[in-house]
Amino acid sequence: MKERTRVAEVEPGQTVTVAGWVHEIRDLGGIAFVIVRERTGRLQVTVPEDDLPASVTDVVSELSRESVIQVTGVVREEGRAPGGVEVFPESIEVIAPAAPQLPLDPSEKVDAELPTRLNNRTLDLRKPDVQAIFEIRSTVLAAVRDSFRRQGCVEITTPKIVATGTEGGTELFPISYFGREAFMNQSPQLFKQLIAGSNLESVFEIGPIFRAEEHNTPRHLNEATSIDFEGAYCDASDAMSVLEQVIIDAHEAVIDEASDALSTLGLEDSFMVPAGGFERLTYDEAIDQVNATGALDEPLVWGDDLSTEAERALGEAVGSHYFITHWPSEIKPFYIKDTDEDETISTGFDLMHPRMELSSGGQREHRHDRLIEGFEQQGLDPDAFEYYTKMFKYGMPPHAGFGLGGERLIMTMLELDNIREAVLFPRDRQRLSP
Ligand code: AMO
């Protein structure tokens, strides 16, 4: 294609060729204005009918919104136009016409319903506020990657077709693997541990996880992006420090690199980098605080997991990111190590945003005999996990890690109501395409 000038770079006095979508056409009789939109902004093309050849005015009279056009012309200052400039076209070429009936109109001020938007994601993403979410998502994932690398971690990728689950059997998606039973991975948990026990020591992965969750809620997906860390010679406190740094670095990057996108979302004043030193509440303190709010019909008792209502009540009371530590061992998975002082209390932790859980982690059980006991206590067959447990016989150092929900991170950063807003093509109980 012909070289194009990006709309944000157009200067008065230049002759430019820009390409983009027809955002709006206003024909005032005698003069028409065509607003061209592309990623960097919008540009007014001014078409005075008497002064321009029929080859240009005829094209304009036939234009449909969202068609892709290429305009060559001279730029002049015009204070009333977007960006303060307008282009007088020498030529306008339709590169790809759009059908006149649009399933979703990107220039509409009022948002279409979410299902309509997701069914027409290409058109939806032509809206600046939707575009802004995914520009920020890209910034966040790059910042997370940089943060881990600065913290001495090596990026890994682990299989997504696996032989066993890790996070509870009912949430698995079974598939057929050349006639054998297999599953989509729920978490890179066991693989990242196997690699933390190698010379790579500290590793991270950003990749998909698949959960056959029954929940159809604004914060659950059936395919999500998990940001995982695992570090040898780390305890739970070390892993929490790594996680806190990742969260802070991600927020800082958004301010430094995506401030325009933040303004597009109207968040330039409210968006803040969380202060370091996140509060660390023990599970006991957390349930006491929840019960003290009086928000629950039934008070929590020791051993209960935190319900959505409990998380909300606690989040309101704390008001910023916080950790919950020292969870009862019985509600944490087999791979989480118990505390040395009390085997009913685990080293597991959760990172909470005032609105919801963002991450879980903990120190892992690295002693082979205790690991096997843990499987048996949770009713799991250790033989099925032999590929994993056997490496614990050959010098598995103490290690710890976490899994952080990528979409929940973005959803909470950008105050989105529904997690699906943070995914291009979300997978939920109803949605399998696009
Ligand atoms: P867990 O199951 O708590 O822990 O998952 C970690 C984080 O991943 C996100 N998450 C989800 N986000 C959207 N939709 C879902 N269905 C979904 N499921 C999980 C959440 C959650 O806090 N292996 C452990 C982590 C570890 O110990 O390293 C694990 O997977 O933000």
Side-chain angles (χ1 to χ4, degrees), residues 167 187 189 192 211 213 221 335 357-358 360 364 402:
E167 313 298 324
S187 159
Q189 183 63 40
K192 65 179 180 172
R211 306 249 171 136
E213 304 260 11
L221 293 163
Y335 50 78
E357 177 198 310
L358 292 184
S360 308
R364 317 309 187 181
F402 61 78

Side-chain angles (χ1 to χ4, degrees), residues 239-289:
M240 285 188 269
S241 300
V242 172
L243 176 52
E244 186 172 315
Q245 192 61 50
V246 165
I247 299 285
I248 290 172
D249 289 344
H251 281 77
E252 278 178 353
V254 172
I255 296 215
D256 291 348
E257 298 164 33
S259 57
D260 289 352
L262 269 186
S263 308
T264 303
L265 292 169
L267 296 174
E268 66 277 31
D269 295 329
S270 59
F271 188 91
M272 274 191 280
V273 180
F278 296 172
E279 200 173 335
R280 295 182 180 187
L281 292 176
T282 64
Y283 171 84
D284 288 4
E285 290 166 339
I287 58 172
D288 283 352
Q289 278 212 33

